[in-house]
Amino acid sequence: MKSFRDFGIDLSGRAGVEVQTLCPECSATRRKKTARSLSVNTEKGCWICHHCNWRGSLKTGEESKSRPPQR
């Protein structure tokens, strides 16, 4: 089974079931580069970015790639 690190998701220093962290898909291009927009559920092994809508799970992989937010 893959790990979050395989998808570029860094959970270092964070513990718990629901973890907020930086999105590897969109954080580098955002004005607020340090905003934690990626929600990770460590029990279910899934994630979703509330900014670019990138989501996936450890079982199925990426379910959708990020898209620029609509203005």
Side-chain angles (χ1 to χ4, degrees):
M1 184 191 282
K2 292 192 173 201
S3 70
F4 289 113
R5 176 121 355 240
D6 293 330
F7 295 98
I9 300 171
D10 182 19
L11 298 178
S12 62
R14 292 178 182 81
V17 176
E18 283 290 331
V19 178
Q20 298 289 318
T21 190
L22 298 175
C23 176
E25 292 290 312
C26 71
S27 289
T29 60
R30 294 185 63 189
R31 287 185 194 149
K32 296 182 178 181
K33 295 181 185 323
T34 59
R36 295 181 185 164
S37 59
L38 189 71
S39 292
V40 180
N41 186 304
T42 58
E43 282 185 355
K44 294 180 182 178
C46 58
W47 65 89
I48 182 169
C49 177
H50 300 286
H51 180 71
C52 69
N53 203 39
W54 179 58
R55 60 181 70 211
S57 74
L58 296 179
K59 293 179 184 175
T60 61
E62 293 175 289
E63 295 173 7
S64 66
K65 279 299 254 185
S66 62
R67 294 180 294 276
Q70 299 296 320
R71 295 183 188 238

